[in-house]
Amino acid sequence: MGEFSEKKDTCGTVCLKYLLFTYNCCFWLAGLAVMAVGIWTLALKSDYISLLASSTYLAIAYILVVAGVVVMVTGVLGCCATFKERRNLLRLYFILLLLIFLLEVIAGVLAYVYYQQLNTELKENLKDTMVKQYHQPGHEGVTSAVDKLQQEFHCCGSNNSQDWRESEWIRSGEAGGRVVPDSCCKTVVDGCGQRDHASNIYKVEGGCITKLETFIQEHLRIIGAVGIGIACVQVFGMIFTCCLYRSLKLEHY
C-alpha cells in the first residue's frame, strides 16, 4: 500500500485515487496530442518560417513539443504517485503540473501577441524577403518557400505580380527573360514565367500576403485552442492532487 500501509484508506481517499488515476490517463493522451500538434507544426507547416521576420512562430511550436513530452512523463509519474501514496511524489507531480501550466500560458501569450502583430510583420518584411532573397545564393530555403507559397495558395508576388519587377533575380538577367517566377504560373513549365498575362499566371486580389496571413492565423488559433484546453484540464489535476495530498496527510496523523 506504500509508505502508509498501516493506515486503512478512507472512502474519500480511494475515490480521489481513482479520480486522479483516470485524470492521468486522459492527461497522458492530452500530452500526446499537444506534442503531435507541435511536431505537425515543425514537420508539415514550417515551410514558410523562412519568410517570417521573427522566430516567434517557431518558438511556439518548440514550446508545444517540450510541453507535450513533459505532460506524458508527468502523467506516468502521477499514476505512480497516486497508487504508491507517496506524498513526496505528489509534491513533484504538482510542481510539474504547475511548470507545464506556465509553459502553456507562455505559448498562449506568444500566440496571441504574434496573432496581433502578424499583419504588420508581413506588410513590412514579406515583399523585401521575396524580391531580395529569391533565387539568391545562400537563400535556397526562401526560394523553395516562395515557390511552394505561390503554387499552394495560387498567388503571385507579395501584394501582386508587379512586385516581381523589383526582384534582384529578375533584374540580374539570370531569370532567362522571365518577368515572374515559374511558380506564378497556373500550369508550371520551364520558362512559363516569361508571360505575365492573367490567363497564364495567378493574379489574386491581395497577393500572397493575405493568403499567408490567413494560413498562419488559422494555425495559431489551433495552437491557442489546444493550449487553453490542456491548461483547463490541468487546473482539475492540481485540485485533485492537493485534495489527495491533504487526505494522505490527515490519515498519516
Side-chain angles (χ1 to χ4, degrees):
M1 183 76 67
E3 63 179 300
F4 307 119
S5 56
E6 71 280 2
K7 300 288 184 181
K8 186 177 180 180
D9 287 342
T10 65
C11 181
T13 301
V14 172
C15 289
L16 282 171
K17 283 169 61 176
Y18 281 100
L19 272 174
L20 196 55
F21 178 78
T22 303
Y23 166 83
N24 277 302
C25 292
C26 297
F27 192 52
W28 190 89
L29 293 173
L32 185 63
V34 170
M35 186 173 67
V37 170
I39 293 173
W40 174 62
T41 302
L42 293 172
L44 301 177
K45 302 296 180 179
S46 62
D47 303 280
Y48 308 124
I49 288 176
S50 58
L51 301 178
L52 304 175
S54 72
S55 57
T56 307
Y57 187 67
L58 188 62
I60 293 170
Y62 277 118
I63 289 174
L64 283 180
V65 173
V66 171
V69 171
V70 177
V71 164
M72 294 176 72
V73 173
T74 303
V76 175
L77 176 64
C79 290
C80 295
T82 301
F83 283 99
K84 287 183 177 294
E85 299 184 3
R86 303 263 182 183
R87 285 185 292 145
N88 56 341
L89 286 180
L90 284 173
R91 281 195 294 267
L92 178 59
Y93 175 67
F94 181 86
I95 290 170
L96 287 174
L97 280 180
L98 188 59
L99 175 63
I100 298 164
F101 183 81
L102 292 175
L103 279 175
E104 285 165 354
V105 167
I106 291 170
V109 169
L110 285 175
Y112 177 78
V113 171
Y114 192 55
Y115 186 94
Q116 302 300 317
Q117 296 176 345
L118 183 60
N119 181 266
T120 302
E121 178 184 317
L122 290 177
K123 283 181 178 178
E124 290 178 350
N125 299 288
L126 184 60
K127 181 180 176 180
D128 281 349
T129 300
M130 292 176 76
V131 300
K132 292 180 180 179
Q133 297 182 19
Y134 186 80
H135 259 301
Q136 297 303 304
H139 295 292
E140 290 77 12
V142 171
T143 302
S144 175
V146 169
D147 285 338
K148 182 170 183 177
L149 175 68
Q150 295 190 142
Q151 274 296 295
E152 187 170 324
F153 294 115
H154 297 172
C155 57
C156 184
S158 176
N159 299 296
N160 52 61
S161 60
Q162 302 301 311
D163 291 342
W164 287 111
R165 293 182 178 181
E166 302 173 34
S167 168
E168 294 184 6
W169 175 64
I170 296 291
R171 289 180 169 183
S172 69
E174 297 177 3
R178 294 176 179 84
V179 290
V180 294
D182 290 344
S183 56
C184 281
C185 299
K186 295 177 180 179
T187 302
V188 178
V189 293
D190 189 43
C192 66
Q194 294 175 354
R195 194 168 67 92
D196 62 353
H197 191 269
S199 62
N200 183 52
I201 68 169
Y202 296 112
K203 287 183 177 284
V204 181
E205 186 70 27
C208 291
I209 191 169
T210 55
K211 299 282 189 177
L212 183 58
E213 181 183 2
T214 300
F215 169 81
I216 295 177
Q217 285 181 337
E218 287 176 352
H219 197 216
L220 287 173
R221 281 195 287 269
I222 293 173
I223 292 174
V226 169
I228 291 171
I230 301 302
C232 291
V233 169
Q234 284 176 244
V235 172
F236 290 104
M238 288 188 277
I239 292 171
F240 291 150
T241 304
C242 289
C243 291
L244 182 58
Y245 182 87
R246 180 176 174 79
S247 177
L248 292 175
K249 187 175 181 180
L250 289 173
E251 287 183 10
H252 178 58
Y253 292 110

